[in-house]
Amino acid sequence: MKKLYFLVAICLISAAAGSAQTYRLPASAPAAPVIAGKLVFKVKAEYRSSCRLNTVDQAKVKEALKSIGAKKVYKKFPTHQAPESMLSRDGKPYTDLSRIYGADVDPQLPIQKAINALMATGMIEYAEPLFIMEPLYNPNDPDTASQYYLGLLQAYDAWDISKGDSNYVVGVTDTGTDLDHPDLAAGIKYNYADPINGIDDDNDGYIDNFQGWDLGDDDNDPSVDIVHGSFVCGFAGAVTDNGVGIAGPGFKTRFLPVKISSNGLLIAAYEGIVYAADHGCQVINCSWGSFGGGQYGQDIIDYATTNMGRLVVGAAGNSNNDAPFYPASYKGVLSVTATNDTDTKWVNSSYGSNVDVSAPGEAVYSTIFDNTYSFSSGTSFASPIVAACAALVWSANPFMSPLQIAEQLRATSDDINGVPGNAAYINQLGKGRVNLYRALTETPKSVRFEDIAITDGNDNAFAGGDTLQISGLLHNYLQPLSNLDVTLTCNSPNITILNGSFNAGAMATSTTLSNGAAPFTALINPAIPFNSHIIFTLTFSDGTYSDWQQFDLVVNVDYINMLVNDIGVSITSKGRIGYNGSGQAQGIGFTYNSTSSHLYEGGFLVGTDTLHVSNHLFDSPTSVVADDFYSLVNVRKIIPSVVSEFDLDSRYNDDGAGVDKLDVAINQHSYAWSTPADSKYVIVEYVISNQGTGALQDLYAGIYCDWDIVAYVDNRGEYDAGRKMGYAYNLGTPNYYTAVKQLNYGSNNCYAVDNDGSSGSISIYDGFSTAEKYMTMSTPRLASGQAANGNDISMMVASGPHSIAPGDSITVAFALIGGETLSSIQASADAAQDKYNTLNSVAVIDVKNEGLNNVFPNPFSNTASVEYSLLTDEDVLIEIYDELGRKVAEPVRQHQQPGTYTLQLDLHGNSRGIYYCKMMTNTYSGVVKLLRY
């Protein structure tokens, strides 16, 4: 199955090593709704002894839970104990469900703040929202009583080979079933060890779970609350050969109704998988899901597959796109999409690299409440068809592992790539459409490439010019291989495969082989567009055997993580700082010494009044973003660096603001150094150009940061007027400081926000309006979080007011600072100011008074004069670079006597912007910054 690999691909410049992993919504996923006021978290293994039924007996965790208003804390799986051993017989790690907790928290609190507060304790493995799962249901009107899918599956021929076994059970995690339906009642796997008598006879923690269980309402009545569940049950376990209604493809296969809904809402979806796994269901069907996927869901899948030896089958989604859909896209899940009676993709079926197989799902006929039948369409119904087939095949091959059963079904499916209606979805609908007869009668070969690791040998930014090295483990699931060859190709013309072949040779069943000693290699074209989604295809061949597997990657992304010194921060292409887009899906935030992020949200703003503020920050409490900034040149690293050890450049305008735009273009530069005095700050500079026809008056430009330092509720913000610096710190332990300092000359304003609106502050819990943004840029409020225990705080540090004439520009700059004491951030602030002053002086002169002396005029229009001095008889090299480190003029190389000289520069034909003049001799190296307007 294609998602049985673990893709280790760091698409950005390396993330902070050793930091705790906070939940991040997948970057490519559509918005996934979450349940307000509920989250799930897992305690790290080393604190297992602190795990109690309704609390975690650690002061930091208790304080964090208190800070987020946790009214109820509870083990998600209270009857589960830690696994007795670490690894399964296949060498896969067992999953420990005993360390997973649920928490009911303040529903008004942004869920990411609650997550960050828990992660900041350092004791939590992960914390995530609880996603709202949706049944994949698309009803239509009844048509005919045809069960065409049985013919496509060759089910009638398959039943001549095997009719299955009633001891093989499909767990149907759904909205319940019709308990007395004439085609379902006899198909239920009843628990005769716990008859309905008010006693937990089998001591499993559930009283009278004779006919399944209702996890949504926590009772023993799994009766359907919406029709979806009973329809799914018909495919999974309708009684066959009973002279009534329809025939289930699993024939003798039984089903166990595991209701995961309450009043139609799927509130116990992943708990349903655990229940089904614990109660003997060899196959577990999930005809539901969400675009939200995290480690919690993967833990549940790993528990079911590795700990309990079950096969999970999931519906791929009804969104008609290739976005990963969960749980179907988790590794270890057999993902199923839907086709029709001609093997053509159903119009709403999802597709993509994560899909394993297809099955009929359009206009299929099944059981509904109340004792009747109907037609419907959806991947919801393709999934239980495959689940029932899996149970029947497993009964015929009882010694196979769950993943071998999955591969048996996948490898024997019928190729549907040649169906005309599927031309746009080649290799995107899985291996093919499931064929039950072939799965019972053929002995196929099947190898998968798993645990895929992708590196570029340096910063793992995967940018143009990088060479990717791709390695992983080849796993042979089924028949032995005599001489396996593996070939790598790519769908993008901007990717050149340098080494695309690997000979694995002979492989026995259930063996693995690494290509780490001879990885695949691929070169990224320097001209590749930003955020390019590329698909790699692996082709496997061994004699007559041929198969394929795909995995995808996004390269040349539009944000970069700066991790040169003690500060880690993500710099984006649209003015945001820390995270790219709403939420925290992309980026590392703001870290100090590889801690968890201290930043909830941050970014640059520029405005002239309460109606005109351009930015890319949130507007509403649901994190809807003001998408004002439009990228002209995505953020990129300057190679070689000219100013610092790590120079970044990007350009954007505010065309996204429409009629409210200021009509400005912004050239953004970012600089970082690792030298001791400069290791605790990053400089961000903005050149703001007026592109309009009128002057911009009362303009403020600033950086807003919503700081969440360790526990966000005990933060405090203050202002250092002498340094033009707004800083924040937490009152708890460990203690950290963060700051934003203005570096350019001119007036400064700081507004310290109490996010809840206390003590006369604006509130951002109800949104952050344009008027509030301008007010915080232009009006002082010099402290926040002044209550005894601190508060949840934000800070705006802005430069202004400014005036910019048409065609003119101004430059503002800020230092982003981190430290452990007030004195340390003050020292870094002073060092940053000294550094910036040096960068912007007209000369960089060493103590011998040799080198670059002056540039005049500066700024200049087309020509300028550079004055330099020599103290000895030397060879001189003078070069001119643009912001990207490209030489824009022929270098001057000459041997000169001691004295002062003037070099005339002519930059006619070059664009407006910043340039650098670099001079080198045997004893001197210096740079002067030039601005052409």
Side-chain angles (χ1 to χ4, degrees):
M1 295 181 296
K2 285 192 289 298
K3 78 275 320 124
L4 294 179
Y5 57 78
F6 176 64
L7 186 60
V8 186
I10 306 173
C11 302
L12 312 171
I13 292 176
S14 303
S19 60
Q21 295 301 304
T22 305
Y23 163 76
R24 301 284 181 259
L25 192 65
S28 61
V34 302
I35 302 174
K38 289 185 178 293
L39 57 80
V40 62
F41 65 92
K42 187 174 186 180
V43 178
K44 288 183 177 180
E46 56 263 41
Y47 301 106
R48 180 187 288 112
S49 61
S50 299
C51 294
R52 307 288 182 261
L53 186 63
N54 295 109
T55 189
V56 179
D57 197 12
Q58 287 286 336
K60 287 184 179 180
V61 177
K62 288 182 176 180
E63 184 61 32
L65 289 167
K66 179 181 178 182
S67 74
I68 61 179
K71 302 177 181 64
K72 184 179 179 183
V73 180
Y74 47 93
K75 280 194 172 187
K76 293 289 287 184
F77 307 102
T79 63
H80 282 251
Q81 304 297 317
E84 293 182 1
S85 58
M86 295 290 292
L87 300 175
S88 71
R89 65 180 183 180
D90 298 325
K92 297 182 181 296
Y94 284 126
T95 297
D96 184 0
L97 300 186
S98 69
R99 295 183 280 115
I100 299 177
Y101 286 82
D104 296 348
V105 303
D106 182 358
Q108 302 302 314
L109 183 70
I111 196 67
Q112 194 68 51
K113 280 189 173 287
I115 288 169
N116 291 350
L118 285 169
M119 295 303 298
T121 66
M123 298 177 177
I124 304 303
E125 188 171 310
Y126 61 76
E128 301 172 6
L130 280 175
F131 293 100
I132 298 174
M133 299 294 163
E134 298 180 359
L136 299 174
Y137 184 53
N138 283 268
N140 56 30
D141 295 328
D143 189 7
T144 135
S146 171
Q147 283 183 271
Y148 71 85
Y149 52 88
L150 295 177
L152 285 178
L153 299 174
Q154 289 189 258
Y156 303 105
D157 294 329
W159 294 336
D160 286 337
I161 307 298
S162 174
K163 292 182 173 62
D165 187 327
S166 60
N167 289 313
Y168 281 79
V169 182
V170 176
V172 180
T173 60
D174 217 288
T175 62
T177 193
D178 187 351
L179 293 170
D180 61 1
H181 195 292
D183 234 359
L184 295 177
I188 295 173
K189 185 65 174 180
Y190 294 104
N191 178 16
Y192 293 101
D194 195 1
I196 299 176
N197 58 9
I199 301 172
D200 182 9
D201 298 273
D202 57 0
N203 295 312
D204 67 348
Y206 300 90
I207 298 174
D208 296 350
N209 56 335
F210 173 69
Q211 52 190 358
W213 194 259
D214 180 358
L215 289 165
D217 297 315
D218 195 26
D219 59 42
N220 70 337
D221 181 12
S223 296
V224 67
D225 57 12
I226 59 174
V227 72
H228 186 271
S230 56
F231 202 78
V232 169
C233 288
F235 300 109
V239 181
T240 302
D241 203 24
N242 65 344
V244 177
I246 64 171
F251 210 101
K252 292 183 180 179
T253 297
R254 297 291 183 256
F255 75 96
L256 181 69
V258 182
K259 187 178 176 185
I260 57 175
S261 62
S262 179
N263 297 319
L265 298 177
L266 276 58
I267 63 172
Y270 287 109
E271 294 90 330
I273 295 176
V274 173
Y275 182 93
D278 288 346
H279 288 82
C281 300
Q282 290 87 351
V283 183
I284 302 168
N285 183 74
C286 304
S287 292
W288 45 266
S290 165
F291 290 111
Q295 187 55 45
Y296 171 59
Q298 187 64 68
D299 266 359
I300 299 304
I301 300 302
D302 291 345
Y303 172 77
T305 57
T306 302
N307 294 38
M308 301 301 294
R310 316 306 191 190
L311 173 62
V312 181
V313 182
N318 299 342
S319 60
N320 191 28
N321 62 33
D322 63 354
F325 191 78
Y326 299 93
S329 291
Y330 284 125
K331 61 174 180 171
V333 179
L334 183 64
S335 175
V336 184
T337 197
T339 50
N340 64 16
D341 59 353
T342 64
D343 282 335
T344 303
K345 173 186 171 296
W346 174 55
V347 63
N348 290 326
S349 289
S350 295
Y351 51 91
S353 301
N354 292 305
V355 175
D356 292 310
V357 293
S358 299
E362 179 180 344
V364 286
Y365 192 63
S366 187
T367 53
I368 63 170
F369 187 85
D370 174 31
N371 300 342
T372 56
Y373 304 83
S374 185
F375 287 90
S376 193
S377 300
T379 61
S380 265
F381 314 130
S383 180
I385 288 174
V386 173
C389 291
L392 192 151
V393 172
W394 210 341
S395 71
N397 300 275
F399 297 106
M400 279 189 172
S401 72
L403 299 186
Q404 285 179 313
I405 293 296
E407 284 304 305
Q408 182 74 16
L409 286 165
R410 191 193 66 82
T412 57
S413 60
D414 290 342
D415 184 3
I416 59 175
N417 278 331
V419 175
N422 296 335
Y425 308 100
I426 301 298
N427 292 351
Q428 299 285 290
L429 302 176
K431 173 71 171 173
R433 190 253 308 124
V434 163
N435 185 315
L436 181 57
Y437 177 74
R438 290 183 60 194
L440 283 172
T441 58
E442 296 182 11
T443 54
K445 297 176 179 179
S446 182
V447 64
R448 301 283 85 188
F449 195 53
E450 302 173 356
D451 295 334
I452 300 175
I454 304 178
T455 67
D456 62 11
N458 50 76
D459 57 13
N460 287 331
F462 299 169
D466 283 344
T467 297
L468 304 180
Q469 296 186 1
I470 303 169
S471 60
L473 295 176
L474 289 161
H475 188 107
N476 182 24
Y477 279 96
L478 298 177
Q479 296 303 310
L481 303 165
S482 58
N483 188 27
L484 176 66
D485 284 311
V486 187
T487 304
L488 179 74
T489 57
C490 185
N491 71 328
S492 171
N494 289 298
I495 301 294
T496 301
I497 303 297
L498 301 178
N499 175 30
S501 62
F502 178 75
N503 178 252
M507 294 185 69
T509 301
S510 298
T511 58
T512 59
L513 179 67
S514 171
N515 76 324
F520 300 112
T521 55
L523 175 67
I524 304 175
N525 188 326
I528 193 170
F530 286 98
N531 300 309
S532 291
H533 179 209
I534 60 175
I535 298 175
F536 289 104
T537 300
L538 290 163
T539 301
F540 309 104
S541 60
D542 179 39
T544 59
Y545 163 66
S546 180
D547 201 350
W548 53 267
Q549 176 180 335
Q550 291 185 332
F551 58 95
D552 52 8
L553 190 64
V554 177
V555 301
N556 231 19
V557 295
D558 60 349
Y559 69 103
I560 292 177
N561 296 342
M562 297 187 78
L563 287 161
V564 175
N565 55 30
D566 294 342
I567 301 301
V569 63
S570 297
I571 302 297
T572 76
S573 301
K574 296 182 180 180
R576 290 183 68 87
I577 293 172
Y579 299 105
N580 190 38
S582 62
Q584 300 179 344
Q586 302 176 350
I588 60 172
F590 180 92
T591 67
Y592 171 74
N593 275 343
S594 300
T595 57
S596 295
S597 176
H598 297 318
L599 182 69
Y600 179 71
E601 181 176 27
F604 176 71
L605 307 87
V606 57
T608 56
D609 56 56
T610 55
L611 299 177
H612 299 88
V613 176
S614 294
N615 64 104
H616 205 273
L617 294 167
F618 79 101
D619 276 335
S620 75
T622 56
S623 295
V624 175
V625 167
D627 197 8
D628 298 334
F629 289 141
Y630 175 80
S631 178
L632 302 174
V633 178
N634 279 8
V635 64
R636 52 197 173 178
K637 184 179 179 181
I638 309 304
I639 302 176
S641 290
V642 177
V643 177
S644 70
E645 295 175 39
F646 197 95
D647 296 0
L648 298 181
D649 169 83
S650 62
R651 302 176 192 183
Y652 45 92
N653 61 26
D654 68 338
D655 283 359
V659 296
D660 292 326
K661 71 177 182 178
L662 302 174
D663 208 0
V664 293
I666 298 163
N667 200 341
Q668 176 180 300
H669 312 278
S670 306
Y671 308 119
W673 297 262
S674 64
T675 49
D678 306 306
S679 65
K680 300 182 189 302
Y681 66 83
V682 168
I683 289 177
V684 188
E685 180 183 67
Y686 306 89
V687 180
I688 307 168
S689 301
N690 183 356
Q691 306 289 296
T693 57
L696 295 173
Q697 305 288 350
D698 296 322
L699 182 141
Y700 286 84
I703 287 179
Y704 167 83
C705 291
D706 183 342
W707 295 115
D708 283 358
I709 306 173
V710 189
Y712 72 95
V713 292
D714 67 358
N715 289 190
R716 182 169 288 172
E718 297 181 359
Y719 180 58
D720 183 335
R723 291 182 172 86
K724 300 178 183 177
M725 178 174 72
Y727 64 93
Y729 57 98
N730 66 306
L731 301 178
T733 57
N735 190 223
Y736 294 106
Y737 283 74
T738 61
V740 176
K741 170 183 163 46
Q742 179 178 316
L743 297 172
N744 58 285
Y745 296 110
S747 300
N748 175 259
N749 183 71
C750 176
Y751 190 102
V753 184
D754 281 284
N755 290 351
D756 60 4
S758 61
S759 304
S761 170
I762 65 163
S763 169
I764 64 166
Y765 286 170
D766 60 359
F768 197 16
S769 68
T770 299
E772 289 174 327
K773 289 171 181 174
Y774 186 75
M775 187 271 286
T776 57
M777 284 195 288
S778 57
T779 305
R781 185 176 189 263
L782 305 184
S784 57
Q786 297 301 299
N789 296 322
N791 200 359
D792 182 14
I793 65 134
S794 303
M795 298 197 79
M796 178 79 77
V797 177
S799 175
H802 297 278
S803 177
I804 312 179
D808 203 353
S809 64
I810 63 166
T811 299
V812 298
F814 304 89
L816 310 175
I817 306 169
E820 298 176 43
T821 64
L822 178 58
S823 61
S824 71
I825 65 166
Q826 289 171 336
S828 293
D830 295 341
Q833 189 67 67
D834 291 341
K835 179 69 74 174
Y836 190 72
N837 292 345
T838 300
L839 295 179
N840 287 274
S841 62
V842 295
V844 182
I845 305 172
D846 69 3
V847 295
K848 298 177 182 178
N849 199 34
E850 176 178 82
L852 295 163
N853 295 332
N854 197 10
V855 178
F856 51 92
N858 192 18
F860 65 98
S861 177
N862 293 312
T863 61
S865 299
V866 178
E867 182 184 283
Y868 61 95
S869 298
L870 299 175
L871 295 180
T872 60
D873 184 1
E874 292 193 76
D875 291 324
V876 178
L877 172 63
I878 298 178
E879 299 173 315
I880 308 298
Y881 295 89
D882 67 6
E883 299 172 273
L884 301 181
R886 299 174 298 196
K887 294 178 183 178
V888 297
E890 286 296 320
V892 175
R893 290 185 175 90
Q894 52 194 3
H895 185 86
Q896 292 180 307
Q897 302 296 316
T900 298
Y901 300 88
T902 300
L903 173 67
Q904 297 297 322
L905 298 180
D906 188 345
L907 293 184
H908 276 94
N910 289 283
S911 61
R912 295 184 299 176
I914 293 175
Y915 294 85
Y916 300 93
C917 176
K918 184 175 184 179
M919 173 183 168
M920 290 179 288
T921 70
N922 293 330
T923 59
Y924 170 84
S925 178
V927 178
V928 65
K929 184 176 179 180
L930 316 171
L931 178 61
R932 180 172 184 266
Y933 59 85

